[in-house]
Amino acid sequence: MINQRVSRTTNFISWLGSILLLILFSYLAWRGYRLNPTDDVLQRWVLAFLASELLLLILLSEVKRLIRHLLQEVKQSESLKQQLAAQQTQKYQQALSTLNNIAASFNPDWRKQLRQALQVAADYLQLPIAVLSKIEQQDYQILVHSAPAGLLQDDSHFELGNTYCSLALAEGGIFATNQMSAGPYASHPAFKAFALESYIGSAVQVEGKPFGTVGFSSASSRELAFSQLECEFVSLLARWIGSTIERRRYLDAQIEAAGRLQKIASQLPGMVFQFQLAPDGSSCLPYCSEGIRDIYQLTPEQVKLDASPMLSLIHPDDAQLMYDSIIASAQQLSLWKLDYRIQRPDGDVIWVSGRSVPERQADGSVLWYGFISDISERKKIERLKDEFVSTVSHELRTPLTAISGAIGLLHGEVFGPLPQQAAQMTQLAQANVKKLQLLINDLLDMDKLIAGKMLFDIQPQPLLPIIETSLHDNQSYAQQYQVSYQLESTSADMWVNVDNMRLQQVMANLLSNAAKFSPPLAVVNIIVQQQGNNALIRVIDSGCGINEQFKPHIFSKFSQADSSDIKSKGGTGLGLAISKQLMSRMQGEIGFQSEQDKGSEFYLLLPLASTAELPEVDL
Amino acid sequence: MNELKRIMHVEDDPSIQQVAKIALEAVGGFSVHTCGSGKQALTDYPSVTPQLILLDVMMPGMDGPTTLQQLQTQYDLTKVPVVFMTAKVQSNEVASYKALGAADVVAKPFDPMTLSNQIRQIWLDFHQ
């Protein structure tokens, strides 16, 4: 194409030059002929024209040749540049491909993975020895290497100063030499020790801290110095190795943690699990400890993808309860907690207790983390305890009934009048039988309250009659301690939702306490009044009061201000604890205020029954 | 309505049998026939023809509720109130005894001096 253009251009110049020469010589010949009109003049000018034309053609031919030569050289130069660029691109592509192969490789054994990476990189750099080292202070350790057999050994240790890596570290990251003997480090101890002429190495950092180096070397020198590309290649490789070691450390830590968890979980008495409920209703246990073998007689693998084998073992009587509890927990994302039975494949029925915390997942499923433990033994003990309490209750009360009855008959003088001292003794015996009876009742009540087995018959009813009955029934206390109860009511027609007997039980406790702790001849005031939407019952004594240290424990079980009170005042220390529980079950409150040596006021607060709850009254 | 005189007391514990008998006879003026078991009560019922039965709940062999059911099956108790004597007096327990047909429940331990009046009141309430 360029040659054609050159030819056209020169041809055009040739024609144009010829025409111009022809015009010039024609003009000169015409002028010469006018001055000297002879044939000779014309012939000379024609000859001159032809000679000029010949010279012009020769000149143009030479110019044409020169231009073609120049163009040829330009073309060759461009071709060379293109070849060089292609070679450079190929090298880049080779470097990238090598790095890509290294990054894509994976081997569960991290040493093998790094060794493969060193081999691939060494092939690319055309250097036979590759070493990844770990450096701690002045200790240099070959962590992984790739070299001709027998030359190096993993885990060999050297003095850091005697290695090429010290140069890489000193050079601030990367060090490369194609002929060690000709450079400034010819006398370095590393060259003396290993005599490696060519070397390229880079520092490796792990978690932002110096870890070691990666280096490639050969005993032979290289003709060409290491290129910028090769330096960058080694630098990138060092970064990849650093991140690989970081990842491996992280994975190792995870594997160790998982192993640790596995070992701990295997020692737990129950099973630790993850339970996942998908939006379509399917469920599985992504993780489950080996404890499932003891609880359900299943393996973790059997429920990993489908929880049905486990759910099908739930006792039919508890299946609905289990379903409802799971749904409620999933909907409210609330703690799942349930005691239920499992009918195991071997036919045994066991009691288990489950507890887990739910979390909503991005896919809409709910994942619980929790544990299940075998509580069969506990249930058995509870049953035995219930039986024991029931038996003891009966066995204690039967003789107590007989003793109480016999003393009652004697004291009632059914068999004739008693001598004065005998009458005092029967009264004493009767009072103590009553205490024993209350003590047994307190213990049994507490047991029932703790087990949630105390049943309440809560009905809307007028409050004042209950209080009046309580006062009447507890007159014996007032007489025993020589005090009097005085009732004051400012609201006579208040109705409350209570269990009559249980409220009387609470009142009996407050009245007997007030009597016990009041001085002789004192008055215990009982005030019934309305406070907002509540009925307030106050029992006020002028006794010794409650000391500050005891106040926080007053409603605790078996609490008494002074153990000597047990002897002086009697009681189990359960009365107020039971009262608090009873009031709580009737949606009420119990509280107190007291000043030492001045007296105490215990109060009960009960919500008033709403008008809708009251029975219709004919007017 | 006749006056209450004949009471059958079914109780396995001899001490309580004795105390109750004295309390009802000496204090209340009733005539008490004591049975040591539910089985004896079933046997003695036709000859005693009690006007009121005082029945213990927890007894070995045949317990109070079973004895009541057997008595109801074998005899006409429509005019004979049956009163349970028990330490188990939670509201639900009392309700279950009444559902079985008991007229009322007397709590153990009982006051021997007021037991007769309590029984007499139950008798009156039953016949009103």
Side-chain angles (χ1 to χ4, degrees):
Chain A
M1 183 72 95
I2 293 169
N3 281 342
Q4 282 177 352
R5 281 187 183 173
V6 170
S7 293
R8 280 183 196 164
T9 309
T10 48
N11 287 342
F12 176 72
I13 293 168
S14 171
W15 279 107
L16 187 67
S18 298
I19 291 164
L20 287 173
L21 281 173
L22 186 62
I23 293 166
L24 178 67
F25 277 96
S26 298
Y27 173 72
L28 289 172
W30 177 72
R31 285 281 304 258
Y33 187 75
R34 288 253 323 246
L35 291 172
N36 186 14
T38 61
D39 290 343
D40 288 348
V41 173
L42 282 173
Q43 283 175 353
R44 275 202 301 272
W45 279 110
V46 168
L47 282 172
F49 167 74
L50 290 172
S52 302
E53 186 72 9
L54 186 65
L55 278 170
L56 178 68
L57 287 173
I58 291 168
L59 185 68
L60 283 170
S61 167
E62 195 58 26
V63 166
K64 201 170 167 181
R65 198 179 60 82
L66 273 170
I67 288 170
R68 279 193 177 144
H69 183 68
L70 276 170
L71 285 171
Q72 197 66 33
E73 279 189 357
V74 167
K75 196 176 172 184
Q76 279 179 351
S77 167
E78 277 182 356
S79 169
L80 194 63
K81 271 186 186 170
Q82 279 176 351
Q83 274 182 3
L84 283 170
Q87 279 176 2
Q88 195 72 3
T89 307
Q90 196 180 355
K91 277 187 180 175
Y92 269 108
Q93 280 175 344
Q94 197 184 350
L96 280 171
S97 164
T98 307
L99 284 170
N100 190 43
N101 287 341
I102 289 170
S105 67
F106 180 77
N107 194 310
D109 182 339
W110 66 273
R111 271 183 191 267
K112 281 184 182 170
Q113 186 181 10
L114 289 175
R115 201 184 311 283
Q116 281 170 0
L118 291 180
Q119 276 167 359
V120 172
D123 288 347
Y124 167 74
L125 293 165
Q126 295 181 328
L127 294 169
I129 304 165
V131 174
L132 171 64
S133 69
K134 185 179 180 185
I135 296 165
E136 282 176 352
Q137 293 177 342
Q138 292 305 309
D139 179 54
Y140 171 98
Q141 179 196 354
I142 296 179
L143 207 59
V144 185
H145 79 279
S146 167
L151 193 62
L152 293 171
Q153 210 171 354
D154 282 356
D155 298 324
S156 305
H157 290 261
F158 299 94
E159 182 75 25
L160 176 63
N162 293 338
T163 65
Y164 285 75
C165 296
S166 62
L167 293 168
L169 295 174
E171 290 287 326
I174 194 147
F175 171 69
T177 176
N178 60 325
Q179 194 176 7
M180 191 78 169
S181 58
Y185 297 109
S187 58
H188 194 275
F191 185 59
K192 286 180 182 169
F194 301 103
L196 298 169
E197 279 286 5
S198 44
Y199 173 88
I200 182 165
S202 171
V204 174
Q205 291 214 324
V206 173
E207 291 164 358
K209 293 174 189 166
F211 174 83
T213 55
V214 57
F216 300 87
S217 54
S218 169
S220 319
S221 60
R222 275 169 52 123
E223 195 182 335
L224 293 171
F226 285 100
S227 66
Q228 183 67 27
L229 175 65
E230 284 165 325
C231 289
E232 280 176 14
F233 173 85
V234 173
S235 181
L236 282 171
L237 180 69
R239 281 165 64 181
W240 176 82
I241 288 173
S243 63
T244 300
I245 292 170
E246 271 176 30
R247 225 172 22 250
R248 285 288 177 178
R249 278 184 178 179
Y250 177 69
L251 280 174
D252 286 349
Q254 278 198 323
I255 290 166
E256 193 190 337
R260 194 166 49 225
L261 177 69
Q262 192 84 14
K263 280 181 188 168
I264 294 168
S266 69
Q267 295 304 311
L268 287 172
M271 62 180 262
V272 183
F273 67 91
Q274 280 182 312
F275 176 77
Q276 190 162 25
L277 180 66
D280 66 1
S282 62
S283 58
C284 64
L285 279 81
Y287 170 78
C288 183
S289 69
E290 290 292 318
I292 193 171
R293 293 176 192 272
D294 299 329
I295 302 277
Y296 283 94
Q297 295 182 336
L298 294 170
T299 63
E301 291 72 30
Q302 282 176 287
V303 292
K304 195 172 180 65
L305 301 174
D306 181 8
S308 305
M310 183 188 83
L311 298 174
S312 65
L313 294 177
I314 292 163
H315 194 280
D317 292 349
D318 296 339
Q320 189 62 41
L321 192 66
M322 164 70 95
Y323 176 80
D324 293 344
S325 66
I326 290 174
I327 296 299
S329 172
Q331 284 174 347
Q332 297 156 20
L333 289 182
S334 57
L335 176 76
W336 174 78
K337 202 176 165 190
L338 188 69
D339 290 355
Y340 60 98
R341 284 161 292 176
I342 294 169
Q343 205 155 27
R344 299 204 294 199
D346 65 3
D348 280 358
V349 173
I350 62 162
W351 271 98
V352 296
S353 178
R355 182 191 166 93
S356 61
V357 180
E359 275 181 11
R360 175 90 52 207
Q361 303 298 295
D363 62 358
S365 65
V366 179
L367 186 63
W368 283 265
Y369 300 82
F371 72 91
I372 294 171
S373 56
D374 187 341
I375 56 162
S376 301
E377 200 59 30
R378 196 181 87 197
K379 286 281 180 188
K380 191 175 159 191
I381 291 166
E382 278 176 9
R383 198 170 58 249
L384 286 172
K385 192 199 79 178
D386 287 348
E387 286 170 11
F388 174 77
V389 168
S390 175
T391 306
V392 166
S393 153
H394 182 252
E395 294 304 318
L396 281 175
R397 278 169 160 163
T398 300
L400 198 63
T401 303
I403 295 166
S404 161
I407 294 168
L409 290 170
L410 277 175
H411 189 67
E413 297 184 334
V414 173
F415 311 108
L418 291 175
Q420 192 186 352
Q421 283 184 322
Q424 283 174 353
M425 288 302 107
T426 52
Q427 189 174 6
L428 189 79
Q430 206 172 25
N432 280 286
V433 164
K434 181 81 176 165
K435 279 184 190 171
L436 194 58
Q437 189 184 329
L438 290 173
L439 194 147
I440 293 167
N441 287 346
D442 275 2
L443 286 170
L444 292 172
D445 280 353
M446 202 64 211
D447 186 69
K448 279 181 199 159
L449 281 165
I450 290 169
K453 288 179 181 167
M454 183 175 279
L455 298 171
F456 286 73
D457 180 20
I458 295 174
Q459 304 282 345
Q461 47 202 308
L463 174 62
L464 200 55
I466 301 174
I467 305 299
E468 285 168 343
T469 308
S470 299
L471 259 59
H472 176 265
D473 291 351
N474 287 281
Q475 278 303 326
S476 60
Y477 274 108
Q479 287 163 8
Q480 187 182 344
Y481 293 99
Q482 296 179 302
V483 300
S484 57
Y485 297 136
Q486 190 169 311
L487 177 64
E488 181 189 330
S489 174
T490 56
S491 301
D493 57 349
M494 288 188 291
W495 283 58
V496 286
N497 277 311
V498 291
D499 180 321
N500 186 339
M501 297 308 294
R502 296 302 171 197
L503 182 56
Q504 284 198 45
Q505 190 176 346
V506 175
M507 279 305 295
N509 186 259
L510 298 188
L511 291 171
S512 63
N513 279 347
K516 270 194 283 188
F517 293 100
S518 290
L521 306 176
V523 174
V524 174
N525 287 297
I526 297 97
I527 302 170
V528 180
Q529 62 189 94
Q530 187 170 344
Q531 188 181 69
N533 292 323
N534 296 301
L536 178 67
I537 306 135
R538 302 160 67 194
V539 179
I540 305 162
D541 69 53
S542 52
C544 56
I546 300 158
N547 71 44
E548 291 301 320
Q549 288 79 15
F550 182 59
K551 280 181 179 175
H553 312 291
I554 196 153
F555 293 113
S556 304
K557 279 185 281 178
F558 303 107
S559 60
Q560 286 189 324
D562 185 340
S563 60
S564 63
D565 285 355
I566 295 171
K567 286 180 181 170
S568 64
K569 306 290 184 189
T572 56
L574 283 170
L576 285 173
I578 291 170
S579 296
K580 188 171 174 64
Q581 294 278 337
L582 293 176
M583 287 303 291
S584 166
R585 290 287 299 273
M586 293 187 287
Q587 314 301 321
E589 280 179 35
I590 182 169
F592 72 100
Q593 47 199 17
S594 176
E595 203 173 332
Q596 195 136 23
D597 300 325
K598 288 191 176 172
S600 306
E601 174 184 333
F602 278 80
Y603 63 86
L604 305 176
L605 208 58
L606 281 162
L608 292 173
S610 65
T611 325
E613 291 170 316
L614 303 183
E616 287 182 22
V617 180
D618 292 332
L619 294 172
Chain B
M1 181 183 66
N2 295 325
E3 193 185 346
L4 175 62
K5 285 182 182 170
R6 294 182 310 282
I7 294 175
M8 178 188 266
H9 181 209
V10 189
E11 165 68 60
D12 63 302
D13 187 85
S15 305
I16 298 176
Q17 286 174 6
Q18 210 176 333
V19 169
K21 191 173 173 67
I22 295 169
L24 293 168
E25 288 184 343
V27 180
F30 304 118
S31 164
V32 176
H33 176 85
T34 305
C35 298
S37 66
K39 203 173 169 185
Q40 192 192 340
L42 290 168
T43 311
D44 292 357
Y45 184 88
S47 58
V48 178
T49 58
Q51 292 167 288
L52 182 143
I53 301 170
L54 206 49
L55 188 55
D56 183 26
V57 172
M58 288 177 75
M59 291 187 290
M62 190 185 290
D63 65 6
T66 313
T67 305
L68 173 59
Q69 280 175 335
Q70 292 288 322
L71 284 167
Q72 285 169 333
T73 311
Q74 295 181 25
Y75 309 108
D76 178 14
L77 297 185
T78 49
K79 292 181 180 173
V80 182
V82 177
V83 179
F84 274 119
M85 281 188 95
T86 177
K88 296 187 163 194
V89 286
Q90 278 210 76
S91 52
N92 65 312
E93 291 163 337
V94 171
S96 73
Y97 303 141
K98 287 189 174 173
L100 288 173
D104 212 333
V105 179
V106 170
K108 277 183 178 175
F110 54 85
D111 180 352
M113 300 309 291
T114 58
L115 179 65
S116 297
N117 284 342
Q118 208 179 341
I119 294 296
R120 192 169 281 115
Q121 189 59 48
I122 294 169
W123 167 262
L124 291 171
D125 292 344
F126 182 79
H127 286 287
Q128 269 178 359

